[in-house]
Amino acid sequence: MRIGMTCYPTYGGSGVVASELGKELARRGHLVHFIAYASPQRFGRFEEGIFFHEVEVMSYPLFRYPPYSLALAAKMAEVTQLSDLDLLHVHYAIPHAACAYLARKMIEPRGIKVVTTLHGTDITLVGNDPSFHEITRFSIEKSDGVTAVSDYLRRETITQFHVERDIEVIPNFVDTVQFSRQARRCEREMFASPDERVVMHISNFRPVKRILDVVGMFARVVERLPARLVMVGDGPERVPAERKARELGIGDRVRFLGMQDSIEDLLCFADVYVLPSDQESFGLSALEAMSCEVPVIGTDKGGLVEVVTHGETGYLAPVGAVEEMAGYAISILEDTGKRDEMGKKARQRAKEVFETKLVVPRYETYYERVLGE
Ligand code: GMT
């Protein structure tokens, strides 16, 4: 197949999913044309079967808000025709699904099939804003195929947008060879001494991630045992989190690394991964941690319950239950046997349910179905 792929290239799990999906589809013999304003993260070096088309937006004094969506729709239409695409697969509904609809209309009667993958905040936060609600609902209804990364997100979409169409659940996936304890560079000694445990968190530090809870939880952990907290990523909550760590007197135990590329080189030495989000439609970083044999402590809301098995591959607690999460973390960190056993079960679950080679064919089958309709 010849597939056009659009995503937010720079931040967030949806861009990671799109680029990993594109790369795997190319390895399976398809031609994948990325259409975005920048080369997607984790895109890596040139690979056979992958093409990149940059969307450029002209600046002009009249444009207080440069019309990126129109430039993207025009580029989608252009690439569809020039590269004779079979379908456009857009990640994150806003504005990508609406742009794809417009591109399809621009090239009538040829048209193009459009598959939209919903990732989470496009439904639960942005799409729920009154200014975006109707256009999100419209774009979902007008897509030829719609997938969601968890059953939770599928249900939320139906409830919040009253859509009547089918939504296929295809979970996120992980390359368990790349994400393993045997990473190429695993320099634990740079972060902790042998007697210290390592707690880790990775995100874009948005309010929804509740990273102050990570710091609060860790403060309780260090009251009980020697440990370090490694915070990976950046965003608006970073400064408040750094301040909180200092106020709690644990500033010297917490390392803020900022944005990092090779996440697997960090996860490979974590003892516990913490994701206390207000809501996660899936929690891709938790899955990547599981693949590296790291037990996950997360919230029992949203899609994380479909990823983490409570009591087996980690623990889930109510949103904001910092004390409870700290208790779970201590129970894992104090007992290396338990940590290892949970870590092994976490990796086993990642391999059996979420391995790239198992999940990507489900997208291929879905594409074929949409193209056949
Ligand atoms: O988490 C974010 O803020 C970024 C967002 C995105 O669109 O990149 O992540 C969402 O998509 C990921 C990939 O499908 C999911 O793993 C995340 O759970 C989801 N985030 C939320 O639902 C908050």
Side-chain angles (χ1 to χ4, degrees), residues 11-15 17 92 118-122 124-125 149 172 204 206 208-209 277 279-285:
Y11 295 107
S14 57
V17 171
Y92 209 91
L118 308 173
H119 279 274
T121 46
D122 46 354
T124 54
L125 288 178
V149 297
N172 287 336
N204 52 20
R206 305 266 147 201
V208 70
K209 304 292 175 182
S277 308
Q279 70 82 27
E280 267 319 314
S281 68
F282 184 90
L284 181 60
S285 64

Side-chain angles (χ1 to χ4, degrees), residues 57-68 70:
V57 190
M58 160 194 190
S59 72
Y60 188 68
L62 271 184
F63 296 159
R64 183 163 169 201
Y65 305 106
Y68 170 70
L70 296 183

